[in-house]
Amino acid sequence: MDRFTPIFAIAAAAELAEMHPQTLRQYDRIGLVSPGRTSGNTRRYSLRDVEQLREVAKLSSEGLSLEGIRRVLRLEDEVQQLQNRVRELERALSDELLSRPERRVFAAGQAGEVISMRRGSRLRRSAEVVVWRPDGR
């Protein structure tokens, strides 16, 4: 079971959302929060629906109209979908970059800096000799 599974009857959802069942019916009629339906056409609310009902109550108490609330909820859903799509594309890009044979590798330079290199290439070594004396001479 996840938060999108419709499991709560209208009375239970109304209690969880701290609203009257008639308010939930009105929100369903105007399309603000649309619960799932059973084969007998009974409303069933998910945890997500209850969260949205609480959000509606919060926005309403802040003075937003029902139309304003509908727009806010629609935009929040759109943002969530876009964030999911960005994560999906980032994973696909990462997988693509890692599967390329010419992907970049990194090495440490002489001064400790990070050097970007092509895979299969080697870092040129310096033939310099550094002498270290503990007394500083």
Side-chain angles (χ1 to χ4, degrees), residues 42-92:
T42 304
R43 292 175 178 91
R44 288 286 184 246
Y45 291 83
S46 67
L47 287 173
R48 173 70 179 129
D49 294 329
V50 173
E51 290 169 3
Q52 279 190 315
L53 289 166
R54 288 178 178 229
E55 180 73 9
V56 168
K58 178 179 160 267
L59 294 170
S60 180
S61 71
E62 292 174 356
L64 261 66
S65 67
L66 291 179
E67 181 58 32
I69 293 170
R70 181 191 343 264
R71 288 181 184 180
V72 167
L73 293 177
R74 187 170 8 106
L75 289 172
E76 285 177 346
D77 284 344
E78 188 175 331
V79 165
Q80 184 62 49
Q81 289 172 1
L82 291 170
Q83 287 173 337
N84 290 342
R85 181 67 177 144
V86 165
R87 279 192 294 277
E88 178 184 313
L89 291 171
E90 285 174 337
R91 279 192 301 273

mmCIF file of all heavy atoms in Angstrom, residues 42-92:
data_model
loop_
_atom_site.group_PDB
_atom_site.id
_atom_site.type_symbol
_atom_site.label_atom_id
_atom_site.label_comp_id
_atom_site.label_asym_id
_atom_site.label_seq_id
_atom_site.Cartn_x
_atom_site.Cartn_y
_atom_site.Cartn_z
ATOM 1 N N THR A 42 -18.823 4.360 -4.666
ATOM 2 C CA THR A 42 -18.576 4.962 -3.364
ATOM 3 C C THR A 42 -17.199 5.620 -3.379
ATOM 4 O O THR A 42 -16.247 5.061 -3.904
ATOM 5 C CB THR A 42 -18.613 3.882 -2.257
ATOM 6 O OG1 THR A 42 -19.862 3.202 -2.319
ATOM 7 C CG2 THR A 42 -18.418 4.481 -0.888
ATOM 8 N N ARG A 43 -17.123 6.801 -2.793
ATOM 9 C CA ARG A 43 -15.838 7.509 -2.741
ATOM 10 C C ARG A 43 -14.865 6.780 -1.816
ATOM 11 O O ARG A 43 -15.226 6.352 -0.725
ATOM 12 C CB ARG A 43 -16.038 8.935 -2.225
ATOM 13 C CG ARG A 43 -16.783 9.837 -3.149
ATOM 14 C CD ARG A 43 -17.031 11.194 -2.463
ATOM 15 N NE ARG A 43 -17.716 12.109 -3.330
ATOM 16 C CZ ARG A 43 -19.045 12.235 -3.403
ATOM 17 N NH1 ARG A 43 -19.812 11.477 -2.640
ATOM 18 N NH2 ARG A 43 -19.597 13.100 -4.216
ATOM 19 N N ARG A 44 -13.615 6.704 -2.251
ATOM 20 C CA ARG A 44 -12.540 6.164 -1.429
ATOM 21 C C ARG A 44 -11.364 7.132 -1.528
ATOM 22 O O ARG A 44 -10.886 7.448 -2.613
ATOM 23 C CB ARG A 44 -12.095 4.782 -1.908
ATOM 24 C CG ARG A 44 -13.080 3.699 -1.629
ATOM 25 C CD ARG A 44 -13.069 3.337 -0.128
ATOM 26 N NE ARG A 44 -13.954 2.216 0.119
ATOM 27 C CZ ARG A 44 -15.065 2.295 0.838
ATOM 28 N NH1 ARG A 44 -15.415 3.422 1.381
ATOM 29 N NH2 ARG A 44 -15.809 1.236 1.017
ATOM 30 N N TYR A 45 -10.901 7.598 -0.376
ATOM 31 C CA TYR A 45 -9.837 8.589 -0.314
ATOM 32 C C TYR A 45 -8.507 7.926 0.038
ATOM 33 O O TYR A 45 -8.451 7.012 0.857
ATOM 34 C CB TYR A 45 -10.166 9.656 0.733
ATOM 35 C CG TYR A 45 -11.320 10.545 0.331
ATOM 36 C CD1 TYR A 45 -12.639 10.150 0.541
ATOM 37 C CD2 TYR A 45 -11.090 11.769 -0.270
ATOM 38 C CE1 TYR A 45 -13.689 10.944 0.165
ATOM 39 C CE2 TYR A 45 -12.144 12.577 -0.652
ATOM 40 C CZ TYR A 45 -13.440 12.160 -0.436
ATOM 41 O OH TYR A 45 -14.480 12.950 -0.825
ATOM 42 N N SER A 46 -7.448 8.415 -0.563
ATOM 43 C CA SER A 46 -6.095 7.941 -0.256
ATOM 44 C C SER A 46 -5.460 8.883 0.766
ATOM 45 O O SER A 46 -6.009 9.951 1.072
ATOM 46 C CB SER A 46 -5.252 7.930 -1.531
ATOM 47 O OG SER A 46 -5.048 9.261 -1.987
ATOM 48 N N LEU A 47 -4.301 8.486 1.269
ATOM 49 C CA LEU A 47 -3.560 9.382 2.166
ATOM 50 C C LEU A 47 -3.199 10.676 1.445
ATOM 51 O O LEU A 47 -3.218 11.757 2.038
ATOM 52 C CB LEU A 47 -2.294 8.689 2.678
ATOM 53 C CG LEU A 47 -2.510 7.591 3.708
ATOM 54 C CD1 LEU A 47 -1.198 6.873 4.009
ATOM 55 C CD2 LEU A 47 -3.111 8.156 4.980
ATOM 56 N N ARG A 48 -2.883 10.572 0.165
ATOM 57 C CA ARG A 48 -2.578 11.772 -0.639
ATOM 58 C C ARG A 48 -3.789 12.694 -0.709
ATOM 59 O O ARG A 48 -3.663 13.905 -0.610
ATOM 60 C CB ARG A 48 -2.111 11.357 -2.040
ATOM 61 C CG ARG A 48 -1.936 12.502 -3.007
ATOM 62 C CD ARG A 48 -0.745 13.369 -2.624
ATOM 63 N NE ARG A 48 -0.599 14.433 -3.587
ATOM 64 C CZ ARG A 48 -0.483 15.716 -3.280
ATOM 65 N NH1 ARG A 48 -0.449 16.094 -2.019
ATOM 66 N NH2 ARG A 48 -0.362 16.623 -4.206
ATOM 67 N N ASP A 49 -4.993 12.116 -0.888
ATOM 68 C CA ASP A 49 -6.217 12.923 -0.909
ATOM 69 C C ASP A 49 -6.409 13.650 0.424
ATOM 70 O O ASP A 49 -6.765 14.829 0.449
ATOM 71 C CB ASP A 49 -7.441 12.049 -1.197
ATOM 72 C CG ASP A 49 -7.436 11.446 -2.586
ATOM 73 O OD1 ASP A 49 -6.889 12.077 -3.514
ATOM 74 O OD2 ASP A 49 -7.987 10.336 -2.743
ATOM 75 N N VAL A 50 -6.159 12.942 1.526
ATOM 76 C CA VAL A 50 -6.298 13.550 2.849
ATOM 77 C C VAL A 50 -5.287 14.690 3.010
ATOM 78 O O VAL A 50 -5.613 15.762 3.532
ATOM 79 C CB VAL A 50 -6.144 12.496 3.971
ATOM 80 C CG1 VAL A 50 -6.105 13.160 5.343
ATOM 81 C CG2 VAL A 50 -7.283 11.473 3.888
ATOM 82 N N GLU A 51 -4.060 14.485 2.527
ATOM 83 C CA GLU A 51 -3.046 15.554 2.567
ATOM 84 C C GLU A 51 -3.531 16.763 1.776
ATOM 85 O O GLU A 51 -3.376 17.905 2.217
ATOM 86 C CB GLU A 51 -1.720 15.056 1.982
ATOM 87 C CG GLU A 51 -0.998 14.038 2.836
ATOM 88 C CD GLU A 51 0.154 13.385 2.085
ATOM 89 O OE1 GLU A 51 0.438 13.757 0.925
ATOM 90 O OE2 GLU A 51 0.785 12.485 2.673
ATOM 91 N N GLN A 52 -4.115 16.516 0.603
ATOM 92 C CA GLN A 52 -4.624 17.619 -0.213
ATOM 93 C C GLN A 52 -5.776 18.329 0.487
ATOM 94 O O GLN A 52 -5.872 19.557 0.429
ATOM 95 C CB GLN A 52 -5.080 17.118 -1.578
ATOM 96 C CG GLN A 52 -3.943 16.924 -2.546
ATOM 97 C CD GLN A 52 -4.433 16.658 -3.957
ATOM 98 O OE1 GLN A 52 -5.356 15.866 -4.163
ATOM 99 N NE2 GLN A 52 -3.832 17.314 -4.907
ATOM 100 N N LEU A 53 -6.648 17.585 1.154
ATOM 101 C CA LEU A 53 -7.755 18.202 1.886
ATOM 102 C C LEU A 53 -7.223 19.118 2.992
ATOM 103 O O LEU A 53 -7.736 20.220 3.196
ATOM 104 C CB LEU A 53 -8.670 17.125 2.469
ATOM 105 C CG LEU A 53 -9.512 16.363 1.450
ATOM 106 C CD1 LEU A 53 -10.112 15.118 2.083
ATOM 107 C CD2 LEU A 53 -10.588 17.265 0.855
ATOM 108 N N ARG A 54 -6.190 18.667 3.671
ATOM 109 C CA ARG A 54 -5.582 19.508 4.713
ATOM 110 C C ARG A 54 -4.939 20.755 4.101
ATOM 111 O O ARG A 54 -4.994 21.841 4.676
ATOM 112 C CB ARG A 54 -4.563 18.715 5.513
ATOM 113 C CG ARG A 54 -5.205 17.704 6.427
ATOM 114 C CD ARG A 54 -4.165 16.900 7.178
ATOM 115 N NE ARG A 54 -4.819 15.975 8.062
ATOM 116 C CZ ARG A 54 -4.499 15.833 9.340
ATOM 117 N NH1 ARG A 54 -3.529 16.543 9.861
ATOM 118 N NH2 ARG A 54 -5.143 14.969 10.083
ATOM 119 N N GLU A 55 -4.328 20.581 2.935
ATOM 120 C CA GLU A 55 -3.738 21.722 2.232
ATOM 121 C C GLU A 55 -4.826 22.706 1.812
ATOM 122 O O GLU A 55 -4.654 23.922 1.921
ATOM 123 C CB GLU A 55 -2.943 21.235 1.012
ATOM 124 C CG GLU A 55 -2.277 22.326 0.210
ATOM 125 C CD GLU A 55 -1.062 22.942 0.889
ATOM 126 O OE1 GLU A 55 -0.599 22.423 1.923
ATOM 127 O OE2 GLU A 55 -0.585 23.967 0.382
ATOM 128 N N VAL A 56 -5.958 22.199 1.350
ATOM 129 C CA VAL A 56 -7.094 23.048 0.981
ATOM 130 C C VAL A 56 -7.543 23.850 2.198
ATOM 131 O O VAL A 56 -7.769 25.065 2.103
ATOM 132 C CB VAL A 56 -8.257 22.202 0.412
ATOM 133 C CG1 VAL A 56 -9.535 23.033 0.310
ATOM 134 C CG2 VAL A 56 -7.889 21.636 -0.954
ATOM 135 N N ALA A 57 -7.676 23.197 3.343
ATOM 136 C CA ALA A 57 -8.097 23.883 4.571
ATOM 137 C C ALA A 57 -7.107 24.972 4.954
ATOM 138 O O ALA A 57 -7.497 26.085 5.325
ATOM 139 C CB ALA A 57 -8.253 22.874 5.704
ATOM 140 N N LYS A 58 -5.816 24.658 4.825
ATOM 141 C CA LYS A 58 -4.774 25.639 5.168
ATOM 142 C C LYS A 58 -4.849 26.848 4.240
ATOM 143 O O LYS A 58 -4.842 28.001 4.690
ATOM 144 C CB LYS A 58 -3.403 24.981 5.081
ATOM 145 C CG LYS A 58 -2.241 25.895 5.370
ATOM 146 C CD LYS A 58 -0.927 25.120 5.272
ATOM 147 C CE LYS A 58 0.235 26.022 5.078
ATOM 148 N NZ LYS A 58 0.618 26.252 3.717
ATOM 149 N N LEU A 59 -4.926 26.591 2.932
ATOM 150 C CA LEU A 59 -4.982 27.686 1.969
ATOM 151 C C LEU A 59 -6.261 28.500 2.121
ATOM 152 O O LEU A 59 -6.251 29.722 1.985
ATOM 153 C CB LEU A 59 -4.847 27.149 0.541
ATOM 154 C CG LEU A 59 -3.497 26.516 0.191
ATOM 155 C CD1 LEU A 59 -3.563 25.813 -1.159
ATOM 156 C CD2 LEU A 59 -2.396 27.562 0.204
ATOM 157 N N SER A 60 -7.350 27.826 2.424
ATOM 158 C CA SER A 60 -8.623 28.514 2.634
ATOM 159 C C SER A 60 -8.543 29.428 3.854
ATOM 160 O O SER A 60 -9.028 30.568 3.825
ATOM 161 C CB SER A 60 -9.740 27.491 2.813
ATOM 162 O OG SER A 60 -10.969 28.130 3.004
ATOM 163 N N SER A 61 -7.897 28.936 4.920
ATOM 164 C CA SER A 61 -7.761 29.758 6.130
ATOM 165 C C SER A 61 -6.847 30.960 5.896
ATOM 166 O O SER A 61 -6.920 31.953 6.615
ATOM 167 C CB SER A 61 -7.236 28.924 7.295
ATOM 168 O OG SER A 61 -5.875 28.594 7.102
ATOM 169 N N GLU A 62 -5.996 30.862 4.856
ATOM 170 C CA GLU A 62 -5.118 31.982 4.515
ATOM 171 C C GLU A 62 -5.805 32.972 3.579
ATOM 172 O O GLU A 62 -5.197 33.954 3.165
ATOM 173 C CB GLU A 62 -3.832 31.455 3.886
ATOM 174 C CG GLU A 62 -2.962 30.693 4.875
ATOM 175 C CD GLU A 62 -1.759 30.035 4.230
ATOM 176 O OE1 GLU A 62 -1.611 30.096 2.989
ATOM 177 O OE2 GLU A 62 -0.959 29.441 4.976
ATOM 178 N N GLY A 63 -7.058 32.683 3.206
ATOM 179 C CA GLY A 63 -7.834 33.634 2.428
ATOM 180 C C GLY A 63 -7.932 33.353 0.937
ATOM 181 O O GLY A 63 -8.510 34.154 0.207
ATOM 182 N N LEU A 64 -7.416 32.224 0.463
ATOM 183 C CA LEU A 64 -7.515 31.911 -0.966
ATOM 184 C C LEU A 64 -8.918 31.431 -1.305
ATOM 185 O O LEU A 64 -9.555 30.733 -0.513
ATOM 186 C CB LEU A 64 -6.519 30.812 -1.350
ATOM 187 C CG LEU A 64 -5.207 31.286 -1.985
ATOM 188 C CD1 LEU A 64 -4.378 32.068 -1.014
ATOM 189 C CD2 LEU A 64 -4.461 30.125 -2.564
ATOM 190 N N SER A 65 -9.370 31.792 -2.489
ATOM 191 C CA SER A 65 -10.660 31.312 -2.977
ATOM 192 C C SER A 65 -10.502 29.865 -3.424
ATOM 193 O O SER A 65 -9.390 29.373 -3.606
ATOM 194 C CB SER A 65 -11.122 32.168 -4.153
ATOM 195 O OG SER A 65 -10.261 31.958 -5.268
ATOM 196 N N LEU A 66 -11.635 29.184 -3.637
ATOM 197 C CA LEU A 66 -11.565 27.792 -4.097
ATOM 198 C C LEU A 66 -10.887 27.706 -5.459
ATOM 199 O O LEU A 66 -10.134 26.769 -5.721
ATOM 200 C CB LEU A 66 -12.959 27.176 -4.136
ATOM 201 C CG LEU A 66 -13.602 26.947 -2.761
ATOM 202 C CD1 LEU A 66 -14.996 26.350 -2.929
ATOM 203 C CD2 LEU A 66 -12.740 26.070 -1.877
ATOM 204 N N GLU A 67 -11.128 28.676 -6.339
ATOM 205 C CA GLU A 67 -10.463 28.684 -7.647
ATOM 206 C C GLU A 67 -8.956 28.887 -7.475
ATOM 207 O O GLU A 67 -8.153 28.244 -8.151
ATOM 208 C CB GLU A 67 -11.044 29.759 -8.556
ATOM 209 C CG GLU A 67 -10.411 29.801 -9.937
ATOM 210 C CD GLU A 67 -10.507 28.486 -10.705
ATOM 211 O OE1 GLU A 67 -11.476 27.736 -10.536
ATOM 212 O OE2 GLU A 67 -9.556 28.196 -11.480
ATOM 213 N N GLY A 68 -8.562 29.765 -6.570
ATOM 214 C CA GLY A 68 -7.137 29.968 -6.289
ATOM 215 C C GLY A 68 -6.497 28.710 -5.735
ATOM 216 O O GLY A 68 -5.379 28.340 -6.110
ATOM 217 N N ILE A 69 -7.219 28.028 -4.858
ATOM 218 C CA ILE A 69 -6.717 26.778 -4.284
ATOM 219 C C ILE A 69 -6.558 25.727 -5.370
ATOM 220 O O ILE A 69 -5.566 25.007 -5.419
ATOM 221 C CB ILE A 69 -7.656 26.287 -3.160
ATOM 222 C CG1 ILE A 69 -7.588 27.259 -1.972
ATOM 223 C CG2 ILE A 69 -7.293 24.867 -2.725
ATOM 224 C CD1 ILE A 69 -8.631 27.020 -0.911
ATOM 225 N N ARG A 70 -7.536 25.644 -6.292
ATOM 226 C CA ARG A 70 -7.454 24.680 -7.382
ATOM 227 C C ARG A 70 -6.196 24.930 -8.211
ATOM 228 O O ARG A 70 -5.476 24.013 -8.561
ATOM 229 C CB ARG A 70 -8.686 24.770 -8.278
ATOM 230 C CG ARG A 70 -8.654 23.769 -9.424
ATOM 231 C CD ARG A 70 -9.713 23.963 -10.515
ATOM 232 N NE ARG A 70 -10.834 24.782 -10.220
ATOM 233 C CZ ARG A 70 -12.030 24.333 -9.792
ATOM 234 N NH1 ARG A 70 -12.199 23.044 -9.614
ATOM 235 N NH2 ARG A 70 -13.012 25.158 -9.558
ATOM 236 N N ARG A 71 -5.913 26.191 -8.489
ATOM 237 C CA ARG A 71 -4.712 26.529 -9.275
ATOM 238 C C ARG A 71 -3.437 26.177 -8.520
ATOM 239 O O ARG A 71 -2.485 25.654 -9.110
ATOM 240 C CB ARG A 71 -4.724 28.010 -9.638
ATOM 241 C CG ARG A 71 -5.753 28.348 -10.675
ATOM 242 C CD ARG A 71 -5.737 29.802 -11.023
ATOM 243 N NE ARG A 71 -6.803 30.114 -11.966
ATOM 244 C CZ ARG A 71 -7.028 31.315 -12.450
ATOM 245 N NH1 ARG A 71 -6.261 32.321 -12.087
ATOM 246 N NH2 ARG A 71 -8.018 31.516 -13.290
ATOM 247 N N VAL A 72 -3.388 26.471 -7.240
ATOM 248 C CA VAL A 72 -2.213 26.154 -6.435
ATOM 249 C C VAL A 72 -1.972 24.640 -6.444
ATOM 250 O O VAL A 72 -0.843 24.179 -6.663
ATOM 251 C CB VAL A 72 -2.367 26.682 -4.987
ATOM 252 C CG1 VAL A 72 -1.307 26.077 -4.067
ATOM 253 C CG2 VAL A 72 -2.281 28.202 -4.958
ATOM 254 N N LEU A 73 -3.020 23.857 -6.213
ATOM 255 C CA LEU A 73 -2.877 22.402 -6.200
ATOM 256 C C LEU A 73 -2.428 21.876 -7.557
ATOM 257 O O LEU A 73 -1.574 20.984 -7.635
ATOM 258 C CB LEU A 73 -4.183 21.732 -5.781
ATOM 259 C CG LEU A 73 -4.622 21.955 -4.333
ATOM 260 C CD1 LEU A 73 -5.974 21.292 -4.082
ATOM 261 C CD2 LEU A 73 -3.593 21.471 -3.349
ATOM 262 N N ARG A 74 -2.985 22.436 -8.631
ATOM 263 C CA ARG A 74 -2.601 21.998 -9.975
ATOM 264 C C ARG A 74 -1.136 22.315 -10.232
ATOM 265 O O ARG A 74 -0.386 21.490 -10.770
ATOM 266 C CB ARG A 74 -3.481 22.674 -11.031
ATOM 267 C CG ARG A 74 -3.240 22.130 -12.422
ATOM 268 C CD ARG A 74 -4.233 22.592 -13.475
ATOM 269 N NE ARG A 74 -5.165 23.610 -13.093
ATOM 270 C CZ ARG A 74 -5.094 24.891 -13.485
ATOM 271 N NH1 ARG A 74 -4.130 25.293 -14.265
ATOM 272 N NH2 ARG A 74 -6.001 25.776 -13.104
ATOM 273 N N LEU A 75 -0.696 23.515 -9.830
ATOM 274 C CA LEU A 75 0.704 23.897 -10.030
ATOM 275 C C LEU A 75 1.644 23.044 -9.174
ATOM 276 O O LEU A 75 2.726 22.668 -9.623
ATOM 277 C CB LEU A 75 0.894 25.384 -9.738
ATOM 278 C CG LEU A 75 0.275 26.334 -10.764
ATOM 279 C CD1 LEU A 75 0.348 27.774 -10.277
ATOM 280 C CD2 LEU A 75 0.948 26.186 -12.115
ATOM 281 N N GLU A 76 1.232 22.729 -7.943
ATOM 282 C CA GLU A 76 2.061 21.865 -7.103
ATOM 283 C C GLU A 76 2.205 20.475 -7.720
ATOM 284 O O GLU A 76 3.288 19.897 -7.703
ATOM 285 C CB GLU A 76 1.472 21.766 -5.695
ATOM 286 C CG GLU A 76 1.694 23.011 -4.859
ATOM 287 C CD GLU A 76 1.050 22.931 -3.485
ATOM 288 O OE1 GLU A 76 0.208 22.027 -3.242
ATOM 289 O OE2 GLU A 76 1.384 23.781 -2.645
ATOM 290 N N ASP A 77 1.117 19.952 -8.276
ATOM 291 C CA ASP A 77 1.189 18.649 -8.952
ATOM 292 C C ASP A 77 2.110 18.728 -10.166
ATOM 293 O O ASP A 77 2.897 17.810 -10.417
ATOM 294 C CB ASP A 77 -0.208 18.188 -9.389
ATOM 295 C CG ASP A 77 -1.034 17.664 -8.230
ATOM 296 O OD1 ASP A 77 -0.459 17.366 -7.164
ATOM 297 O OD2 ASP A 77 -2.267 17.554 -8.391
ATOM 298 N N GLU A 78 2.009 19.817 -10.912
ATOM 299 C CA GLU A 78 2.855 19.981 -12.099
ATOM 300 C C GLU A 78 4.324 20.071 -11.706
ATOM 301 O O GLU A 78 5.183 19.457 -12.343
ATOM 302 C CB GLU A 78 2.438 21.226 -12.870
ATOM 303 C CG GLU A 78 3.114 21.371 -14.211
ATOM 304 C CD GLU A 78 2.582 22.560 -15.008
ATOM 305 O OE1 GLU A 78 1.420 22.929 -14.839
ATOM 306 O OE2 GLU A 78 3.376 23.107 -15.790
ATOM 307 N N VAL A 79 4.621 20.798 -10.652
ATOM 308 C CA VAL A 79 5.998 20.908 -10.163
ATOM 309 C C VAL A 79 6.519 19.533 -9.766
ATOM 310 O O VAL A 79 7.643 19.155 -10.108
ATOM 311 C CB VAL A 79 6.091 21.898 -8.976
ATOM 312 C CG1 VAL A 79 7.414 21.758 -8.237
ATOM 313 C CG2 VAL A 79 5.911 23.329 -9.464
ATOM 314 N N GLN A 80 5.701 18.753 -9.068
ATOM 315 C CA GLN A 80 6.108 17.406 -8.654
ATOM 316 C C GLN A 80 6.398 16.533 -9.871
ATOM 317 O O GLN A 80 7.399 15.813 -9.908
ATOM 318 C CB GLN A 80 5.034 16.765 -7.774
ATOM 319 C CG GLN A 80 5.438 15.415 -7.234
ATOM 320 C CD GLN A 80 6.656 15.483 -6.336
ATOM 321 O OE1 GLN A 80 6.724 16.303 -5.442
ATOM 322 N NE2 GLN A 80 7.630 14.639 -6.576
ATOM 323 N N GLN A 81 5.541 16.597 -10.882
ATOM 324 C CA GLN A 81 5.753 15.817 -12.101
ATOM 325 C C GLN A 81 7.043 16.245 -12.803
ATOM 326 O O GLN A 81 7.802 15.401 -13.287
ATOM 327 C CB GLN A 81 4.569 15.968 -13.054
ATOM 328 C CG GLN A 81 3.317 15.283 -12.573
ATOM 329 C CD GLN A 81 2.107 15.616 -13.443
ATOM 330 O OE1 GLN A 81 2.200 16.353 -14.414
ATOM 331 N NE2 GLN A 81 0.957 15.084 -13.073
ATOM 332 N N LEU A 82 7.291 17.550 -12.852
ATOM 333 C CA LEU A 82 8.506 18.046 -13.494
ATOM 334 C C LEU A 82 9.749 17.637 -12.711
ATOM 335 O O LEU A 82 10.768 17.276 -13.309
ATOM 336 C CB LEU A 82 8.443 19.571 -13.662
ATOM 337 C CG LEU A 82 7.418 20.062 -14.684
ATOM 338 C CD1 LEU A 82 7.276 21.585 -14.594
ATOM 339 C CD2 LEU A 82 7.785 19.639 -16.082
ATOM 340 N N GLN A 83 9.681 17.672 -11.394
ATOM 341 C CA GLN A 83 10.819 17.233 -10.586
ATOM 342 C C GLN A 83 11.102 15.750 -10.806
ATOM 343 O O GLN A 83 12.262 15.342 -10.904
ATOM 344 C CB GLN A 83 10.555 17.512 -9.100
ATOM 345 C CG GLN A 83 10.635 18.974 -8.742
ATOM 346 C CD GLN A 83 10.214 19.252 -7.310
ATOM 347 O OE1 GLN A 83 9.480 18.481 -6.693
ATOM 348 N NE2 GLN A 83 10.672 20.374 -6.773
ATOM 349 N N ASN A 84 10.046 14.950 -10.898
ATOM 350 C CA ASN A 84 10.225 13.515 -11.174
ATOM 351 C C ASN A 84 10.867 13.322 -12.541
ATOM 352 O O ASN A 84 11.753 12.479 -12.701
ATOM 353 C CB ASN A 84 8.889 12.779 -11.115
ATOM 354 C CG ASN A 84 8.338 12.697 -9.706
ATOM 355 O OD1 ASN A 84 9.053 12.877 -8.726
ATOM 356 N ND2 ASN A 84 7.046 12.445 -9.599
ATOM 357 N N ARG A 85 10.430 14.108 -13.529
ATOM 358 C CA ARG A 85 10.980 13.993 -14.882
ATOM 359 C C ARG A 85 12.451 14.396 -14.907
ATOM 360 O O ARG A 85 13.274 13.750 -15.557
ATOM 361 C CB ARG A 85 10.173 14.855 -15.853
ATOM 362 C CG ARG A 85 10.632 14.799 -17.270
ATOM 363 C CD ARG A 85 10.395 13.434 -17.889
ATOM 364 N NE ARG A 85 10.786 13.469 -19.290
ATOM 365 C CZ ARG A 85 11.346 12.469 -19.920
ATOM 366 N NH1 ARG A 85 11.519 11.312 -19.321
ATOM 367 N NH2 ARG A 85 11.708 12.584 -21.177
ATOM 368 N N VAL A 86 12.812 15.455 -14.174
ATOM 369 C CA VAL A 86 14.208 15.890 -14.107
ATOM 370 C C VAL A 86 15.068 14.789 -13.497
ATOM 371 O O VAL A 86 16.143 14.473 -14.014
ATOM 372 C CB VAL A 86 14.345 17.214 -13.305
ATOM 373 C CG1 VAL A 86 15.788 17.489 -12.917
ATOM 374 C CG2 VAL A 86 13.787 18.374 -14.102
ATOM 375 N N ARG A 87 14.603 14.171 -12.401
ATOM 376 C CA ARG A 87 15.360 13.067 -11.786
ATOM 377 C C ARG A 87 15.521 11.909 -12.766
ATOM 378 O O ARG A 87 16.598 11.314 -12.869
ATOM 379 C CB ARG A 87 14.677 12.598 -10.495
ATOM 380 C CG ARG A 87 14.986 13.474 -9.296
ATOM 381 C CD ARG A 87 14.550 12.832 -8.000
ATOM 382 N NE ARG A 87 13.108 12.694 -7.884
ATOM 383 C CZ ARG A 87 12.289 13.661 -7.484
ATOM 384 N NH1 ARG A 87 12.781 14.826 -7.154
ATOM 385 N NH2 ARG A 87 10.997 13.450 -7.400
ATOM 386 N N GLU A 88 14.461 11.607 -13.497
ATOM 387 C CA GLU A 88 14.515 10.532 -14.491
ATOM 388 C C GLU A 88 15.538 10.850 -15.583
ATOM 389 O O GLU A 88 16.338 9.998 -15.970
ATOM 390 C CB GLU A 88 13.123 10.374 -15.103
ATOM 391 C CG GLU A 88 12.997 9.339 -16.178
ATOM 392 C CD GLU A 88 11.592 9.350 -16.779
ATOM 393 O OE1 GLU A 88 10.614 9.374 -16.006
ATOM 394 O OE2 GLU A 88 11.493 9.346 -18.016
ATOM 395 N N LEU A 89 15.529 12.079 -16.072
ATOM 396 C CA LEU A 89 16.476 12.485 -17.114
ATOM 397 C C LEU A 89 17.908 12.521 -16.586
ATOM 398 O O LEU A 89 18.844 12.166 -17.303
ATOM 399 C CB LEU A 89 16.085 13.839 -17.700
ATOM 400 C CG LEU A 89 14.798 13.839 -18.522
ATOM 401 C CD1 LEU A 89 14.386 15.261 -18.875
ATOM 402 C CD2 LEU A 89 14.956 12.989 -19.773
ATOM 403 N N GLU A 90 18.091 12.959 -15.332
ATOM 404 C CA GLU A 90 19.427 12.963 -14.741
ATOM 405 C C GLU A 90 19.977 11.546 -14.640
ATOM 406 O O GLU A 90 21.151 11.307 -14.922
ATOM 407 C CB GLU A 90 19.397 13.623 -13.359
ATOM 408 C CG GLU A 90 19.275 15.122 -13.407
ATOM 409 C CD GLU A 90 19.093 15.754 -12.031
ATOM 410 O OE1 GLU A 90 18.638 15.049 -11.084
ATOM 411 O OE2 GLU A 90 19.379 16.954 -11.899
ATOM 412 N N ARG A 91 19.128 10.593 -14.235
ATOM 413 C CA ARG A 91 19.568 9.188 -14.162
ATOM 414 C C ARG A 91 19.936 8.668 -15.545
ATOM 415 O O ARG A 91 20.951 7.997 -15.713
ATOM 416 C CB ARG A 91 18.484 8.315 -13.540
ATOM 417 C CG ARG A 91 18.435 8.359 -12.029
ATOM 418 C CD ARG A 91 17.544 7.276 -11.447
ATOM 419 N NE ARG A 91 16.176 7.348 -11.919
ATOM 420 C CZ ARG A 91 15.208 8.088 -11.372
ATOM 421 N NH1 ARG A 91 15.488 8.817 -10.310
ATOM 422 N NH2 ARG A 91 13.998 8.094 -11.857
ATOM 423 N N ALA A 92 19.101 8.984 -16.546
ATOM 424 C CA ALA A 92 19.367 8.522 -17.909
ATOM 425 C C ALA A 92 20.671 9.122 -18.425
ATOM 426 O O ALA A 92 21.472 8.427 -19.057
ATOM 427 C CB ALA A 92 18.209 8.892 -18.828
#
